Amino acid sequence: MTKLVNQFFALSDRHHSFLPMKKLLLVLLLCCCVSCQKKSNDEVKKDSTSSENDASPQLLLTKSGIEAFRQSDAALLNNSTNELKRQVNRILKDAINIPLPKDAGGGYTHEQHKKNYASLYQLAISHRLTADSTTLAYIKKMLKGYADLYPQLPLHPKAKENHPPGKLYWQGLNEAVSLFYIIQAYDLSREFMTPEERKHVEDNLLRPMADFLSVDSYDIFNKIHNHGTWSVAAVGMTGMVLKDDDMVERAIRGSNKDAKTGFLAQLDQLFSADGFYAEGPYYHRYAILPFIAFAKAIQQNRPEEQIFSYRDSILQKAVKTLLQLTDEQGRFYPINDAIKSKTWDSPEVLFATNIAYAAYEDPTLLPVIKHMGKVSFTDAGAQAAANINSETPIVYDRPSQVIRDGVEGNKGGIALLRSPQFGSGQLQAVFKFSTQGMGHGHFDRLSLSVYDHGEEIIPDYGAARFLNIEAKRGGRYLPENKSYARHSIAHSTVVLNERSHYNAQVENSEDHASILVDAQVQSDRWQSVTAIDSTAYDGSDLKRSLVMINDSSITHRPFIIDFFEVTAEEKTSMDLNYPFEGDIIHTGFDYTRPLEKEILGVQDGYQHLEVLAKGQPKDGTNFIKFTFLQAGRFYTISSLTDQNTEIRLTQTGALDPEFNLNSQRHLLLRQTDKVHHNFVTIIEPHGFFDPINETVGQPEPTIRGLSYERQGNVDIVSFEADGKTYLYVKVRENDRLKNHRINYNKKTYTWEGPKYLIKIP
Amino acid sequence: MTKLVNQFFALSDRHHSFLPMKKLLLVLLLCCCVSCQKKSNDEVKKDSTSSENDASPQLLLTKSGIEAFRQSDAALLNNSTNELKRQVNRILKDAINIPLPKDAGGGYTHEQHKKNYASLYQLAISHRLTADSTTLAYIKKMLKGYADLYPQLPLHPKAKENHPPGKLYWQGLNEAVSLFYIIQAYDLSREFMTPEERKHVEDNLLRPMADFLSVDSYDIFNKIHNHGTWSVAAVGMTGMVLKDDDMVERAIRGSNKDAKTGFLAQLDQLFSADGFYAEGPYYHRYAILPFIAFAKAIQQNRPEEQIFSYRDSILQKAVKTLLQLTDEQGRFYPINDAIKSKTWDSPEVLFATNIAYAAYEDPTLLPVIKHMGKVSFTDAGAQAAANINSETPIVYDRPSQVIRDGVEGNKGGIALLRSPQFGSGQLQAVFKFSTQGMGHGHFDRLSLSVYDHGEEIIPDYGAARFLNIEAKRGGRYLPENKSYARHSIAHSTVVLNERSHYNAQVENSEDHASILVDAQVQSDRWQSVTAIDSTAYDGSDLKRSLVMINDSSITHRPFIIDFFEVTAEEKTSMDLNYPFEGDIIHTGFDYTRPLEKEILGVQDGYQHLEVLAKGQPKDGTNFIKFTFLQAGRFYTISSLTDQNTEIRLTQTGALDPEFNLNSQRHLLLRQTDKVHHNFVTIIEPHGFFDPINETVGQPEPTIRGLSYERQGNVDIVSFEADGKTYLYVKVRENDRLKNHRINYNKKTYTWEGPKYLIKIP
């Protein structure tokens, strides 16, 4: 009874005209309302009894999950249901609005239809939890509205040539996403609908949408692409609910049912052997939802497929790799086209972690779910919530690792070097030598980005885009994405003759990958990785080795040795670029600031960079030190120089008529007219600046000396820290067995294996 | 017994040579140690009995406070004692080091002596809480070391002409701060010292230091300046401990004991009637410590002075005004020379809030103390901790208010307009029309800064300084502080003919103040304040009115009307400047970006500003809209224009050879060859950008129309919001009684009082 009264008040809250009524009237109305409610419940009961087996939920949230959300007191479940309550209250305040499709992306009808499927999905869940009759009526009315409308619809008037069209939306992708949610909503609600209501929705909305997506839009349905995944997931789940095995089969194995297209083929080809998604984590995050959701539906309805074991548990790898590609704040590394500050707190990752946790019983995912503070409305979400308690760790383990790209795992990859996680501060180096990533890929082979204590130090620019902000070219990719962000110079890598890798042509780059030479990421004390690229420039070889050394007897904080070797066919200008975040504190080289505006170059992103300073090494020095302050900590880039070295400090902002570029500054080291050069650099975090207590610690780097020599097949990088000398030695041929030997200061040093760190006594 | 064992292990932890010993030896040593400990305790007991009355602590931490810190389990006390434990462990690891004074500020001996007094103070507190004999020995040894050294010292070798010198330090200020802490440490420890030890310290360190500060440094001791406050506080507390009434009297009433100088005179003259400190909150924060500490010592030792009631409880006002001058993150508004991101979490504010809370029994301070999570080691700190519990609110109330400047409260001030605090987001407008603030003042009369949701929107640049960072000119003020940061153009105010207020001459500005015309800050719905300045420019008048309107029937978020009227003697160029933080989203005016480098001007800060864009209003429009995105929210500056209006977007960075300037961008509205102009502007926060969920809300401002007219003595600003028209009317003569009347669209509107907001039906 209390519940019903509350519901009434919730109702009256929405109809302000009730408010001034007298008490008596209120009581009368209340009684009336209670009896209506009873009647409606009875009707429902009858329906659901008549076809209980057919009509109970079949997809991600079934009876057991619903029961858990209704009964359990787990904090994460409560957070989720409370949030849902707020959303549902907002939804029910507005009248149902199903406009005739008219506008393109971002426009009014487009956004309204997107809003509608999201509302429908939330209402359907809410109704299963509360049995609220107003909610049910709203759901039925909206489903009926769409079923009335859909059969009349031609292709969307704003459909574009060469782009798969929809009916409700200008593009087919949104149509698939719509069905993805509508079918889940219907799955949850049909038990409470009459046979006539169901027939209308199934015949006039669900089947026509599924047909449109799988038959009319044959190409996209059979494409090995995440747009195809949305299609097969939507159509496949529809087939499960409608008990249409043919539909399900086509979704899983493609229109021809030969598994050359469809879900399995997508699982085969869209993830690398380690679950890496070539477009990068930003798109991976989006694509993971139809993958994980459809897999869960398949497990539920076709357990014999053993879908979660498929391809050596590829979906587990896909989820874990996605989570690993985050900084300490949970922000996805902005590799390729990516909106920055996108974190794992996104709805897609909520689903993915929940379902992967339940499917693989993988407790390493629990800290992420605990951190999110809520769960998805799925059986898996309920299961995760039940297993999270005060003992569950809150810190997600991010160890060093190499993530292989390529279906066979042999097309380059991403290496993550990470210092041990003590307290809050981890040094992270992200080394990218993966495949192109199709149209959203950037031309940044062998590029590096660095994070420390969860802050960007050597940043990746990400994409030039203000997502969904209409004033910025409709929220689409900005022209500067093509003219700056994707170019090599927007990254920390080497650029030859001021031209981007592959001349910035995707068709050239898509077929080629860099090659991982060796990686050693197990030791806490030092980790290293080397990759080469011979295809970014015709006839030139790029080779980069990164070493992270974490030894408090050498430096207080871990640091990075960056060894970049360039071998060209002819005399070449070589630019090694370091974007950096922070205030310039000390420039250990001579420079002038141009009095007139000076642009770094004319193309491939160079045209967007103003030259802030032109410098050269101080006389009598063989390396430069460049110190900046970011987020209260100091960082020094020390780099070997010769008399040929030129230095530029640059900043984005040139040729930017619409102020579309974010401010990014770079330290650029240039060698001109060289056929071979070794760039040897150390990136050292040190000290702190505490503005609260107005104290400063160690504003100077520990590493004061740097040199390089080669003895036979051994590269020797020597550096001085705290007055002591260390040699980092690396054998060019990867001979792990032989004893190696070098001479240094008239003494001989020997070691086994390809690399070694030697302390000179 | 457990305690002693623990102490032994703490000890052995410091002496690593103990570690490899065998168990038997360990037990033997342990017994020996216990007996040593007993003996030492006995000795102490004897000492303390012999002179208990004289030697018990007299200053900020007395027996009752000590008892509370020893006994209580209050969380804030535990946090404080745990932090102290860590600090003391670090201190005791190093040998005592009292170098012969040699280096200037930032140099080795300077920093070591600073470190020493801080250590001494912490050790003295720690010893009172733990009775640890090692700590006591360390204290005695350090005090003896200084007493041995001090009488030998000449003036510091790095003392500068025209700057009051010290002996341990190059400047006398540090000497006073040293004694301030040393006397507190001695006060806590002397009970455990022999009469001989005490005599040595008193005769050779404390009295000579007090004499040096009050007699040798007569001028600074009698100066009405915060450096003088440090001197009188140090000397006065020394007098209390040494029972030297003459010394105490001189500290309180000046060397001549006539109260024309000394502490009371400082209390009279250094704070405005509302407790504002003219240099601004950054220096206020530093100065408050000797004020509040010495006041507490006076209350303890000379209750008859009723020091906390002095000048109508000026110290309560000083503390509360300091706390009110913070944004929602607790960061002090960076008025005048100020290091940004300095928050109230600084040690000085810890002391100030604790002592003010206890002295005035003011519960409004408890949320700040709770937020700090620890307390000062004072009786007041213990008292505050005892009164904070889970019921204590955590959000500090920041209402709108006018803080008057000037001893009589009639020399301008600071107005804080603030929207009601709901949830996390408060809109704050800081309007500065105060006195100059001496050498650290900026030339920014009638300047505005704006904060929203704790973020800077229209920022104040603060000081050009990297505090304590050696590589940046020794951490001192940078040349750009004088050439840019203090100039008018670095602020949101009007600049005439590209020259700063008062031609940037402190001697011109110090005597003048702006005048508050009227202020109405009580209403939640709308608040307003008007101030004029007639002295910043000879013959010109500046008048600014700010109105904050908070009415959800008009706009979703509160917004600001900014009305800036300029009246000049002759044709003048008038620049109204708005620094802004964030990404430029939409510029509702035509502009070009200069292809060649263009600098805004040649002097008074203009020489540091590059012109990013030059614009003018679109044809057929009478106002411009400029939208930017900061911290996930949109802000639009809409400003009235005419055919004469020129627009500039500028950015710091020109003529900055050492990269000392932080990046700051400005929207500048220029009127040329005018003798009179009204700048009418609306600053409206609206909408949001959520990168996690990739959603955007209300990226366009609600306010779409803007105009201004004058009817007789009434200024009328009209604006359109959501299709409706509103008039903000303001009577020029401040006649609160008369009925006022205007005509608008052929209708007549009347109201009472000086200002009104009219909705056109």
Side-chain angles (χ1 to χ4, degrees), chain B residues 534-553:
Chain B
S534 308
T535 57
Y537 293 105
D538 280 345
S540 296
D541 287 331
L542 309 179
K543 177 176 175 183
R544 195 173 203 169
S545 288
L546 293 169
V547 189
M548 183 181 287
I549 295 179
N550 177 55
D551 183 334
S552 60
S553 75

Side-chain angles (χ1 to χ4, degrees), chain A residues 614-667:
Chain A
K614 300 163 78 164
Q616 60 285 321
K618 281 187 202 294
D619 285 346
T621 60
N622 73 327
F623 72 107
I624 59 148
K625 287 193 296 183
F626 176 76
T627 301
F628 54 101
L629 174 68
Q630 161 70 337
R633 292 181 190 83
F634 297 97
Y635 300 88
T636 295
I637 297 177
S638 304
S639 194
L640 267 191
T641 54
D642 57 28
Q643 60 277 40
N644 176 282
T645 307
E646 293 175 27
I647 304 157
R648 298 283 182 280
L649 292 172
T650 68
Q651 180 171 296
T652 50
L655 252 181
D656 181 19
E658 298 170 12
F659 291 99
N660 286 339
L661 287 169
N662 295 323
S663 182
Q664 188 186 34
R665 295 205 279 184
H666 307 239
L667 169 69

Side-chain angles (χ1 to χ4, degrees), chain A residues 282 285 341-343 345 347 467-468 472 584 591 593-595 597 651 656-659 689 691-692 694, chain B residues 282 285 341-343 345 347 467-468 472 584 591 593-595 597 651 656-658 689 691-694:
Chain A
Y282 177 75
R285 181 260 330 153
S341 67
K342 184 85 184 170
T343 73
D345 289 300
L467 186 71
N468 288 336
K472 289 293 191 186
I584 298 172
Y591 65 86
R593 298 199 62 171
L595 290 176
K597 182 172 280 196
Q651 180 171 296
D656 181 19
E658 298 170 12
F659 291 99
F689 170 61
I692 312 292
E694 305 201 334
Chain B
Y282 178 75
R285 180 257 334 150
S341 66
K342 183 85 185 171
T343 73
D345 289 300
L467 186 71
N468 288 336
K472 287 293 190 187
I584 298 171
Y591 66 86
R593 297 200 61 172
L595 291 174
K597 182 172 279 197
Q651 180 171 297
D656 181 19
E658 298 169 12
F689 171 61
I692 310 294
N693 292 305
E694 304 200 335

Side-chain angles (χ1 to χ4, degrees), chain B residues 263-425:
Chain B
F263 191 61
L264 297 181
Q266 290 164 358
L267 281 175
D268 285 338
Q269 296 173 55
L270 285 179
F271 294 105
S272 84
D274 284 346
F276 181 72
Y277 191 78
E279 287 174 309
Y282 178 75
Y283 279 93
H284 189 164
R285 180 257 334 150
Y286 181 65
I288 198 71
L289 179 55
F291 272 109
I292 203 83
F294 190 35
K296 176 69 174 82
I298 292 172
Q299 187 199 33
Q300 190 75 26
N301 292 276
R302 289 201 173 185
E304 66 277 15
E305 297 278 356
Q306 299 197 311
I307 194 70
F308 283 114
S309 307
Y310 190 77
R311 202 184 157 204
D312 198 15
S313 301
I314 189 67
L315 280 169
Q316 185 177 26
K317 292 175 184 167
V319 171
K320 296 184 84 156
T321 289
L322 174 63
L323 295 175
Q324 283 293 327
L325 288 168
T326 55
D327 67 22
E328 281 189 284
Q329 294 189 38
R331 294 178 303 192
F332 295 112
Y333 296 134
I335 291 168
N336 294 331
D337 282 349
I339 304 301
K340 279 198 181 189
S341 66
K342 183 85 185 171
T343 73
W344 64 16
D345 289 300
S346 68
E348 301 92 348
V349 185
L350 191 73
F351 273 83
T353 50
N354 292 182
I355 293 173
Y357 166 73
Y360 298 102
E361 292 177 6
D362 183 344
T364 68
L365 299 174
L366 288 181
V368 180
I369 301 172
K370 184 175 188 174
H371 164 89
M372 290 169 167
K374 58 181 182 183
V375 290
S376 59
F377 285 102
T378 59
D379 297 351
Q383 199 175 323
N387 289 320
I388 287 174
N389 54 42
S390 59
E391 309 284 293
T392 311
I394 191 78
V395 176
Y396 181 60
D397 191 29
R398 291 184 181 85
S400 295
Q401 60 200 279
V402 174
I403 299 165
R404 294 171 301 158
D405 198 0
V407 170
E408 310 291 334
N410 58 359
K411 292 205 162 181
I414 303 268
L416 307 175
L417 301 186
R418 288 157 163 176
S419 69
Q421 268 172 309
F422 46 85
S424 64

Side-chain angles (χ1 to χ4, degrees), chain B residues 480-492:
Chain B
E480 290 75 13
N481 195 56
K482 206 166 174 181
S483 66
Y484 178 72
R486 66 176 197 161
H487 280 288
S488 307
I489 195 65
H491 303 82
S492 177

